[in-house]
């Protein structure tokens, strides 16, 4: 299989398949047809078949999909069969929300450290993880071979911290700041812009006929 | 102008234009050419012209765009010229992060109440807003004509609360739970699935050549 051919649109849909298949596994469902999955996910059965054909199909005529197998294969494609070392930079409510979300660890994302600039937070812990000061960040990243950093701090701070992350070996930034970070081509930035999501909501609320 | 013709892809890009134009205004920039905006935003100038032509253009040959005017017009399209009454259901870290984000109020999203099921949080306040118990939610929504609800609670809770919101008049749900809520066609759901965003990041980290 040539993964280069997988379109961005398909990749964007994979986590949703993964979520539904995980729910099915929890509900002890062992196999499912594309028609049933289609009803559940509210997308067409042909879309499902097309999407999953990108990865060799996984389905068998007359049997449907083996839920656990498909879940595992999509997990591998998404890189969830590996373990990642992660830091959170910004120990405010949002940083703490991420640190408290245990499911990330189940998926292989290990939060090794939490950093902040506020000296009043130094030494406090979130779910057993000590909050450290940002001046220790560079050394910590190198010592712990951190691959992923979540940036949950304001724009100016994020722009200041991003180069430190990159220089010390971080390969992926999960960016919650309201800015598009500039990074070298071998570093990934995945942004969650909450304000922009709220604007989409307000647009759709005002154009309900165009929902 | 017929807004029905605006594609979803364009609408998705509008908040980013709005963010850049806001930054330009803060930097006291009064006008900008599509070429300059293109460099800044890292999209092609023709894309920018095409996108903004959807709304009548706003640009003048040889002058470029008037930053404040364009900012205001895009704001209107996004519904940011209005005021919305909002509640947050789920007073954990994520709910508190939203409640503490003052910029939402500047954009017209007024947080009128925060709700939770945990009696230990009752009466506590976040930025002056009292945390109330979920059994008061229905009455509160009606009394305060709440239009938008942010759901920052686990999946099962979100699925339980969504019908209460809808029955009492909420028209838009900003959903942070890991589930696709089922609502009537006249209600908007805009979801932020953090786990799925992290999976996109890990996919891209593992397929850097395909970034």
């Amino acid at each position: 299989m040539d993964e280069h051919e997988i379109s961005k649109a398909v990749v964007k849909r994979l986590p949703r398949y993964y979520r539904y298949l995980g729910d099915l596994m929890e509900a002890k469902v062992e196999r499912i047809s594309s028609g049933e999955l289609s009803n559940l996910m509210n997308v067409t059965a042909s879309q499902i078949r097309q999407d999953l054909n990108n990865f060799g199909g996984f389905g068998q005529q007359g049997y449907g999909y083996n839920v656990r197998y498909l879940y595992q294969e999509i997990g591998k494609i998404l890189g969830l069969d590996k373990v990642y070392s992660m830091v959170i930079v910004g120990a405010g409510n949002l940083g703490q929300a991420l640190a408290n979300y245990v499911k990330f660890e189940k998926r292989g994302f290990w939060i090794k450290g939490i950093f902040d600039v506020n000296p009043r937070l130094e030494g406090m812990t979130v779910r057993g993880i000590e909050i450290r000061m940002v001046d220790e960040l560079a050394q910590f990243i190198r010592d712990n071979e951190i691959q992923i950093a979540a940036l949950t701090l304001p724009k100016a701070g994020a722009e200041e911290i991003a180069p430190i992350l990159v220089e010390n070996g971080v390969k992926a930034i999960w960016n919650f700041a309201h800015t598009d970070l500039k990074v070298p081509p071998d570093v990934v930035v995945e942004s969650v812009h909450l304000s922009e999501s709220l604007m989409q909501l307000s647009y759709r609320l005002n154009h309900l006929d165009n929902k």
Side-chain angles (χ1 to χ4, degrees), chain A:
Chain A
M1 125 189 154
D2 182 359
E3 294 194 2
H4 292 251
E5 288 171 18
I6 301 169
S7 79
K8 277 192 184 173
V10 176
V11 170
K12 276 208 185 289
R13 288 195 287 267
L14 287 183
R16 189 159 177 264
Y17 286 112
Y18 190 76
R19 171 157 58 87
Y20 274 88
L21 290 163
D23 290 349
L24 287 167
M25 267 171 53
E26 267 182 35
K28 313 277 183 211
V29 175
E30 287 179 14
R31 68 187 204 184
I32 191 163
S33 68
S34 55
E36 290 165 327
L37 195 55
S38 151
N39 283 338
L40 199 64
M41 293 184 65
N42 203 22
V43 290
T44 64
S46 86
Q47 164 106 84
I48 289 177
R49 280 190 297 267
Q50 262 181 39
D51 282 351
L52 301 181
N53 276 341
N54 275 290
F55 308 99
F58 308 126
Q60 284 175 326
Q61 195 68 37
Y63 175 86
Y65 298 103
N66 178 310
V67 171
R68 179 178 301 272
Y69 178 75
L70 189 52
Y71 177 82
Q72 287 169 342
E73 291 302 307
I74 292 179
K76 279 184 209 166
I77 291 158
L78 290 170
L80 304 178
D81 54 336
K82 299 180 190 168
V83 166
Y84 304 92
S85 293
M86 189 168 160
V87 292
I88 295 171
V89 189
N93 288 127
L94 189 54
Q96 291 192 29
L98 299 184
N100 277 316
Y101 195 61
V102 287
K103 231 175 179 178
F104 293 151
E105 269 162 32
K106 282 195 210 152
R107 301 254 165 89
F109 302 92
W110 285 85
I111 298 163
K112 294 293 178 72
I114 305 175
F115 292 82
D116 205 285
V117 291
N118 183 350
R120 284 194 300 176
L121 297 176
E122 186 165 13
M124 288 175 61
T125 60
V126 183
R127 209 158 53 84
I129 308 159
E130 190 188 332
I131 300 177
R132 297 162 199 267
M133 293 297 98
V134 156
D135 55 14
E136 299 172 44
L137 180 60
Q139 186 72 44
F140 188 92
I141 291 172
R142 290 195 303 272
D143 290 350
N144 294 277
E145 296 180 9
I146 300 298
Q147 296 146 288
I148 301 175
L151 284 185
T152 48
L153 71 182
K155 177 180 165 161
E159 286 171 349
E160 210 173 289
I161 294 294
I164 299 172
L165 300 173
V166 170
E167 279 160 30
N168 290 285
V170 164
K171 285 292 169 212
I173 299 176
W174 199 18
N175 171 43
F176 289 80
H178 298 104
T179 182
D180 300 322
L181 298 172
K182 287 188 177 62
V183 297
D186 64 336
V187 176
V188 162
V189 176
E190 183 74 28
S191 292
V192 178
H193 292 308
L194 294 179
S195 301
E196 299 189 12
S197 167
L198 187 55
M199 289 181 204
Q200 295 289 339
L201 177 141
S202 100
Y203 175 87
R204 291 172 58 205
L205 179 59
N206 284 282
H207 299 79
L208 257 171
D209 47 346
N210 197 15
K211 188 184 167 191

